Every structure is written in C-alpha cells, then in structure tokens.
Amino acid sequence: MPTFAVPCLFGLEGLVGDEIKKLGLGQVRVENGRVLCQGALGELARLNLNLRCGERVLLLMGQYTVRTFEELFECVKAVPWEDYIPRDGQFPVKGHSLSSKLHSVPACQAMIKKAAATRLGEKYGLRTLPETGEKYQIQFALHSDELSLYLDTTGPGLHKRGYRAVGVEAPLRETLAAAMVTLSRYRGKDPFRDPFCGSGTIPIEAALIAKNRAPGLDRRFDAQKWKTVPAAVWMDAAEEAEDREFHGQYDIWGGDIDPKAVAIARDNARKAGVEDCVRFEQADMAKLRCTGEYGQVVTNPPYGERLLEKQEAEALYRAFGKVYRDIPEKWRVLVLTSHPEFEKFFGRRADRKRKLYNGMLKCDLYFFQRG
C-alpha cells in the first residue's frame, strides 16, 4: 500500500495529522515538518483536495542510508520509477540535504537524475528519454545520511488555493491562516472578526471551514495528468467533497484601513466562492465591534521590519490592546505576529502562545480569553 508524506509548516504537524485521520487514512505518523500515512493510490486525490494545513502530498518511493555517490546511484536506480513515469514523462529533480556527507544539492540532483534515467532507459529500451510528456517531479530529502525519495503529486503548493491571484504586502500563507482558524475552534456558529484582514486570507479560510468546503476544489494538481491515476479517482473525490459542504448563514467579517486591500479581499472571496458568507469593509481597527456572548477574533496585524514601520506597528498594538478591553470576555482572540515584544505593547500577557512559521518567518500565535 502506498505511503504518502505531507510536509507542513513547523508547528502545524498535529493539525495535519488530525486532518488525515478524519479522512480515514491509516498508519498516520507525525514527525517534525511532515506527516506520514498510508492508503490506496487514489487517496492522493482526497488528500490534495481536502487538506487545509498541509503544504503538498508526496508519494514516498523509497528510504535509504547513503554516504557515497555510488550508494546514492544504486539506491535510486533500484526504485521502480517505471510504475509511475511513462516513457515520455518529464522527471525533473529537486530537494535538499542537511547534516549529510553528500551535502552538495546540485551534485545530488545530477546523480539522482542520472540513476532514474538509467533505470527508465533500461525498462523502455531507450538510450535517450524524450521527456516531452507530463511532469513527474522527483523530490529528495537527505537528513543525516538518510535519504527519502518522493514523487510530488501536487505541483504548486497546497497553500495556493487558486483564489488569491493578487495579494498585498507580506501575505499570510493560506495553510497558516486555516490553521489559525482551526486553533480558534471556529466552526461557523459564532461571529468571526479579523480587523487587519489585508487581502482577506483569514476570513476566507474561516468561510471555507464554516461551509466545510474542500480548499482544493478550484485548482488543478500535477497527478491529475498522470496515466497511473484514473480520472474517475479525482471525480469521485470532488463529488464526495461537494456532498459534504454546508449551506447556511455565517457572520464572518474582515476589516482593513486600506481600501485597495478591501477591494482585493472582496475579489478573492468571489474567486473562492464564499462572497455570500463573508463581509469586507474599509474600517479602522479602533471601530471593531464584537457583539454576542461568544465569538472569535483571529488576526495577523502588521509587525514592521524597518524602524519607522516597527514604531507604527507598536502604536497599533497599543491601540488594539485598548480595543481588546471592550471585547466580550468569552470571545477568543488569536493574534499572529513576529514582533518579540507584542505582549508588552498590547498591555496583557497571553493566556498561552504557540510558535509557528509563515514560510521561513518565525512567529508567535498569542491566545487571549478573559472568561
């Protein structure tokens, strides 16, 4: 039975593991930066369509210990690439190496490419492979001399949902936004607010979660073109996902002081198919209104890299701290920022916090709730 690996942003491994378990796959194993699981080949369609917090879906082709290029060549050549890559398939190679004797990534790429080409050439009786067909991206990870070989079934990362063609500065990755909403325990019943919405990523991901809409329904994946994965697998997975959608009324709001950002957010919501259940308005954070006993505020305020921007961000945190005093005590407030002294300027210690990464940027997610 195939083994899949789902890499994810550091700090999200547990959430991704829970998502995979809910999809019914077996042998789920959570590791640093990735989650492994097993299932029939067709499960790659369900994983790609439904995962909110994972970055991509990789098909594990083999794991080996390698310390020399000769060992690397022989291990890669032993992999049955022909089970997936046809005679005209393109098979570019990319990957990384950490704390390993074979530390040169370009040299490893070249050797893996040579070994895979040798194997495929022998199987298809060709001295030169045309590579004019569809792409079968080979990935490798070499950690402490332990080699993992994969085929990437996803293509562009899963955070690229397809709704954000245009963004604003310092965009928040969609997978991280979905994780923040999940950690707030928002399920669509309570009001949801983001007073620094930017291009709308957090409210849009909240709307997708409220509707239980699969985030991958509006995009394409590399493995959809693979001859070894029947088209019916993708059609069945899409129909299953659509059947699980909810249709209701939701109180989801995003505000931003920048009218251009608000216009982009509205357009993104339309592309995501959630314009009917999320509202975007040009609004100052100081005018945030939270009514009702329960609700969620989930936001990623500016943090400022340059000195002046940093000072402006700190003043913003002070103002947000004053607004917080008027938020009903049973509301959950989650704030993601990379500013190391956020609590100082916000004027309150978080009830708890969690380290997360937005790409390579280390951040903290602060949890506040008075009641």
Side-chain angles (χ1 to χ4, degrees), residues 177-228:
M180 292 167 63
V181 176
T182 301
L183 290 168
S184 79
R185 291 185 274 172
Y186 175 70
R187 299 295 181 270
K189 295 181 180 180
D190 305 320
F192 185 95
R193 304 285 183 264
D194 178 4
F196 303 99
C197 72
S199 58
T201 307
I202 293 174
I204 290 171
E205 291 298 321
L208 291 171
I209 287 173
K211 288 169 66 75
N212 200 36
R213 179 171 177 80
L217 278 173
D218 296 322
R219 58 158 290 176
R220 305 284 292 176
F221 304 95
D222 278 5
Q224 285 180 271
K225 300 176 182 178
W226 292 7
K227 296 176 181 177
T228 47

Side-chain angles (χ1 to χ4, degrees), residues 7-8 20 37 60 100 108 110 113 119 134 144 152 195 200 213 219 221 244 254-255 267 291 308 334 355 366 370:
C8 59
I20 293 172
C37 60
L60 182 64
S100 298
C108 290
K113 178 76 175 184
R119 168 93 184 200
E134 302 299 343
S144 302
D152 179 9
R213 179 171 177 80
R219 58 158 290 176
F221 304 95
R244 294 204 314 266
D267 190 51
T291 57
L308 181 59
L334 277 68
K355 285 201 182 304
Y366 297 89
R370 293 197 298 274

Side-chain angles (χ1 to χ4, degrees), residues 285 316-326 345-347:
M285 169 273 303
L316 200 63
Y317 300 158
R318 288 192 187 95
F320 189 28
K322 293 177 182 178
V323 170
Y324 175 78
R325 298 170 195 165
D326 295 325
F345 296 102
F346 189 69

Side-chain angles (χ1 to χ4, degrees), residues 38-103:
Q38 289 186 340
L41 183 63
E43 296 291 357
L44 65 84
R46 297 178 68 237
L47 288 167
N48 274 300
L49 283 169
N50 290 287
L51 289 178
R52 299 186 189 279
C53 303
E55 289 300 312
R56 59 183 61 251
V57 180
L58 305 174
L59 180 62
L60 182 64
M61 299 297 292
Q63 292 182 294
Y64 309 92
T65 300
V66 296
R67 296 183 178 86
T68 67
F69 282 112
E70 182 179 0
E71 290 176 344
L72 177 62
F73 181 90
E74 293 301 328
C75 288
V76 176
K77 187 172 179 289
V79 173
W81 301 106
E82 68 279 1
D83 289 351
Y84 297 95
I85 304 175
R87 61 189 295 127
D88 65 343
Q90 300 178 52
F91 52 103
V93 178
K94 64 181 179 181
H96 61 270
S97 176
L98 295 172
S99 305
S100 298
K101 290 184 174 59
L102 302 181
H103 55 83

Side-chain angles (χ1 to χ4, degrees), residues 188 247-251 276-277:
H247 300 281
Q249 298 295 317
Y250 308 102
D251 183 5
D276 60 331
C277 56

Side-chain angles (χ1 to χ4, degrees), residues 15-28:
L15 295 181
V16 174
D18 289 342
E19 286 190 276
I20 293 172
K21 289 174 185 175
K22 287 178 182 176
L23 288 172
L25 279 82
Q27 301 297 310
V28 178

